[in-house]
Amino acid sequence: MLYRKMIWTLRIINSIKSGVCRASTWADFSKVSDDYDKFRIPVGRDFIAGMSQLYTGKRLQDLHILDIGCGTGQYAKEMLDLGVGRISLIDASPDMLNAAKYKLANEIEQGRVQCLETIKAPPLPFNSDCFDVILLTAVLPHLDCAGDKTYQNAVKMLEEANRVLTKNGTIVITTSFFSTFSRYWFCKVCPELCQRLCEYFPSASDFEIMFTRANLKCVQKFTVIGAGFMSYEGMVNSEGYVDQAWINSACCFDLATEEELTAIQDKVHTLYQNGKWKEWLAENDSTNELGIATFFVCQRKDNEGQAQ
Ligand SMILES: C[S@@+](CC[C@H](N)C(=O)[O-])C[C@H]1O[C@@H](n2cnc3c(N)ncnc32)[C@H](O)[C@@H]1O
């Protein structure tokens, strides 16, 4: 038992150390990339399109979006399908970016994808004032180590986003909080895992401080209810266990111990065998009903501190 705990502690320390040169301080996106699109849902894409037009004052076809930490390009694809003119994508993980390249093959050929590169940000290798909209969807919690409540890399990222933004440009950020993330069913089985993960999530007031430090003004914030980030279709396999692909697709399980993963599988399997799984899930998961994706929409402050 003690030996297992030591091994697990070493794993976490190594993962934090290697995070310095990896895509995330805690998640292994080369492992996530194969299964991400099987279960991940680009929640709120229509909101992003609407907010982008409203706050920039431009039509979708005239927008150039920079998607930072684009992952497999889910949001980029949705934006282009909705009519956005041009998009540039960067991600620190070559595996996630390869999936995006494959997904956007047609749009690349049409010249609607301006840049698609493996880049670990910040800094951003772009001139000032060149993007109308910047997306940072589920990226900021990957930049700083747990317990670093100054979120120094996240602030640098926001400062850089501010710099490359055009006048009236808009930054769209998504995140989760402890209060929303704990709506996942597996947080009921392993509350410590939930707690450990949420150490990386800035709180709503941390975000406000970060925006001020990056000279940004938050012009809108909301949580999308009726939609969670993860599809549960095919989550449990025919033997009554959580499918490995579902676990792989959700980077949060990179922070789970072997004991926690076993506890999750045992719980699901027992419920499944007793014919109680669906009922238990409905009672213990409110991600779809109450939502998990919180959006912040920001603009650069002018000299009077107002959004430009
Ligand atoms: C949870 S995924 C979100 C992907 C995508 N934005 C989405 O919403 O589907 C986080 C992504 O951020 C990327 N990432 C993390 N740190 C990064 C950094 N410093 N620079 C660029 N990308 C980063 C990871 O490689 C990963 O693809």
Side-chain angles (χ1 to χ4, degrees):
M1 184 71 180
L2 184 66
Y3 175 73
R4 279 182 148 203
K5 271 198 174 144
M6 274 169 56
I7 294 282
W8 177 75
T9 308
L10 279 173
R11 264 181 56 194
I12 296 275
I13 290 171
N14 282 337
S15 112
I16 288 170
K17 272 189 185 163
S18 59
V20 173
C21 55
R22 222 171 53 179
S24 163
T25 51
W26 51 275
D28 179 358
F29 281 101
S30 63
K31 199 181 81 194
V32 168
S33 60
D34 278 347
D35 297 307
Y36 192 81
D37 286 345
K38 292 179 190 156
F39 301 101
R40 186 82 172 195
I41 301 164
V43 174
R45 57 198 185 278
D46 42 359
F47 283 103
I48 297 178
M51 296 282 157
S52 299
Q53 291 183 97
L54 179 69
Y55 287 106
T56 60
K58 288 189 173 180
R59 299 175 308 170
L60 282 181
Q61 60 265 41
D62 299 326
L63 293 177
H64 186 184
I65 294 184
L66 170 64
D67 190 350
I68 304 175
C70 62
T72 60
Q74 284 198 344
Y75 279 101
K77 174 77 177 136
E78 294 288 342
M79 289 301 112
L80 289 165
D81 286 351
L82 286 170
V84 162
R86 288 175 298 152
I87 202 146
S88 291
L89 303 93
I90 62 166
D91 199 285
S93 158
D95 299 297
M96 295 293 269
L97 205 70
N98 271 340
K101 203 177 279 178
Y102 183 73
K103 189 178 285 136
L104 297 171
N106 286 340
E107 290 79 2
I108 292 171
E109 211 173 293
Q110 292 160 4
R112 297 171 73 198
V113 176
Q114 297 284 288
C115 151
L116 194 145
E117 273 184 53
T118 308
I119 288 166
K120 184 167 181 173
L124 295 171
F126 303 107
N127 292 335
S128 302
D129 304 309
C130 57
F131 297 103
D132 303 299
V133 176
I134 294 177
L135 302 185
L136 277 163
T137 56
V139 177
L140 293 180
H142 289 279
L143 303 185
D144 292 290
C145 293
D148 176 3
K149 294 296 173 195
T150 63
Y151 299 103
Q152 47 181 319
N153 287 323
V155 172
K156 272 187 209 146
M157 184 78 103
L158 291 170
E159 284 169 345
E160 275 292 86
N162 187 342
R163 181 184 64 76
V164 301
L165 209 56
T166 52
K167 189 173 185 299
N168 295 327
T170 303
I171 304 176
V172 180
I173 295 151
T174 70
T175 193
S176 299
F177 300 117
F178 178 76
S179 56
T180 49
F181 195 87
S182 53
R183 292 172 181 160
Y184 274 121
W185 61 270
F186 53 83
C187 291
K188 307 290 184 302
V189 186
C190 297
E192 297 85 6
L193 169 61
C194 183
Q195 193 76 47
R196 198 178 303 132
L197 183 83
C198 291
E199 277 291 301
Y200 292 88
F201 294 161
S203 66
S205 51
D206 290 332
F207 270 104
E208 291 299 343
I209 294 168
M210 287 173 4
F211 297 151
T212 305
R213 288 178 62 195
N215 202 33
L216 292 170
K217 186 172 173 63
C218 180
V219 290
Q220 186 54 271
K221 46 188 159 187
F222 54 90
T223 297
V224 178
I225 65 169
F229 274 134
M230 299 286 292
S231 166
Y232 291 165
E233 220 179 300
M235 173 173 65
V236 175
N237 63 28
S238 53
E239 280 136 38
Y241 289 103
V242 183
D243 201 89
Q244 192 56 43
W246 195 84
I247 291 181
N248 292 348
S249 74
C251 58
C252 59
F253 293 109
D254 279 1
L255 288 174
T257 63
E258 293 300 329
E259 286 85 354
E260 284 166 341
L261 289 173
T262 305
I264 288 170
Q265 290 293 19
D266 286 351
K267 178 80 182 176
V268 172
H269 192 61
T270 307
L271 286 162
Y272 186 87
Q273 280 187 319
N274 295 335
K276 299 253 187 244
W277 164 243
K278 285 198 171 146
E279 190 186 326
W280 186 90
L281 181 65
E283 278 169 14
N284 289 280
D285 189 289
S286 53
T287 52
N288 281 307
E289 194 185 354
L290 297 177
I292 176 156
T294 296
F295 283 70
F296 291 102
V297 182
C298 293
Q299 293 198 296
R300 185 183 298 157
K301 273 185 192 167
D302 64 14
N303 292 339
E304 276 82 50
Q306 300 302 312
Q308 282 185 342

